[in-house]
Amino acid sequence: FDTIWLRRPGEPVLPSEMHPGDRQVAQRQCAMFLEGVAPFLDRGGKTFWVNPVASDVTAQQKAHQLRTAVRSGLTIPSTLISNDPIEIRSFFREHGGTVAHKMLRPASWLATDGGHEQVFAAYTVPATEADLPDDDVLRLCPGIFQPYLEKSFEVRVACLGDFLVALRINSQTDERAKTDWRAGQLHIAMEPYELPEEVAAGCLRFLATMDLPHASFDFVVGSDGCHTFLEINPQGQFLFLETRTGLPLLDMWCEFLIAGTRRFSWREDHEIVRFSEFEVNWKEHLRGTLKQHARLIRPLGVPDRSAAGGGP
């Protein structure tokens, strides 16, 4: 690396001082190194993976998620995944002219705004046919198109093996959260939710089919009570369920890992570990650790933070 050759022996090199080209190479090497470590940790098939690496990768595929949801007995919206302008425009007209557009993979990027470098992300948005670019542009990038669903509220389900924790998200009470609740998450109420038995059973069938001990499901609930599957995140954030509702998710998670099995059921028969109790120490340690590594840029997710506006 250019910057390293200019330093005295023993003098530390911070990732922020690396040449951009060197940083890209280092990030790729770090990623490949981490991927290569997994087989050495398997202990002859006895390791409890959360999640198995191959299953986690497969579960990222949105089309595969939708097909598995149907096979698991869950309801999904009518869906078009395409970059064909004729198909896309026809889908808009078929569904009243306004549909929801989603990315096949979460997208985030760094940009300068007001003199400060910030992370920006693409949320789900409603679009009309008038919003579509020219056909040549549409062909450049496939997207997911679904009818714009009317919602009463939304549900996030954190799955710790067979133990499911559901959260009701009252996304329709604030304009900022109506389309994509993540955009206005600090301005809406969230509360524990009892998942209907048939939906819970569908989630468990989905997890078994995908070989996932852990995932987070997202549902839209209509005025008729129908729970429509949107997607899963095999590494979905869940600690915000604790900061927003008091549910002891960190303790549940720790007990799940200690149990080392999908057949897990949390019991309140011990001293409970609270996220708030260790959050300060964790953040301080994280700040120090990040300064020492070439950090990988990953898609932006929902921050684990409280309504008071704590950091991610």
Side-chain angles (χ1 to χ4, degrees), residues 165 192 238-255 266-283:
V165 183
F238 53 84
L239 288 177
F240 73 95
L241 277 71
E242 178 163 340
T243 59
R244 297 303 301 275
T245 68
L247 291 169
L249 261 294
L250 179 61
D251 192 88
M252 294 172 179
W253 176 255
C254 293
E255 292 295 318
W266 183 76
R267 296 188 304 275
E268 196 173 353
D269 59 359
H270 58 279
E271 184 177 352
I272 295 175
V273 177
R274 292 287 179 180
F275 176 59
S276 59
E277 295 172 357
F278 101 111
E279 185 179 16
V280 174
N281 291 332
W282 168 69
K283 286 183 178 179

Side-chain angles (χ1 to χ4, degrees), residues 140-159:
L140 294 176
C141 180
I144 301 174
F145 302 91
Q146 295 175 331
Y148 186 66
L149 301 174
E150 295 299 325
K151 314 170 187 177
S152 291
F153 58 92
E154 298 179 61
V155 173
R156 163 64 69 97
V157 184
C159 306

Side-chain angles (χ1 to χ4, degrees), residues 29 55-56 59 82 111 117-118 126 133 144 161 164 167 187 195-196 206 303 309:
Q29 297 303 305
S55 301
D56 203 88
S82 179
E117 191 175 62
Q118 297 186 35
I144 301 174
L164 308 184
L167 179 78
H187 308 284
L195 201 63
F206 187 110

Side-chain angles (χ1 to χ4, degrees), residues 7-24:
R7 296 191 169 271
R8 298 183 181 89
E11 189 174 352
V13 180
L14 298 177
S16 59
E17 298 172 322
M18 295 174 68
H19 185 281
D22 295 339
R23 173 185 288 273
Q24 187 180 62

Side-chain angles (χ1 to χ4, degrees), residues 77-148:
S78 176
T79 303
L80 172 69
I81 303 176
S82 179
N83 67 333
D84 185 317
I86 295 177
E87 289 185 346
I88 293 171
R89 295 183 188 281
S90 175
F91 189 83
F92 271 75
R93 294 163 190 159
E94 180 183 348
H95 293 282
T98 301
V99 305
H101 171 263
K102 302 178 182 180
M103 311 287 287
L104 278 90
R105 182 174 182 177
S108 63
W109 59 94
L110 292 173
T112 301
D113 183 29
H116 301 284
E117 191 175 62
Q118 297 186 35
V119 178
F120 292 83
Y123 289 121
T124 298
V125 295
T128 66
E129 188 173 356
D131 295 321
L132 294 175
D134 294 339
D135 288 358
D136 287 343
V137 176
L138 278 176
R139 293 188 185 96
L140 294 176
C141 180
I144 301 174
F145 302 91
Q146 295 175 331
Y148 186 66

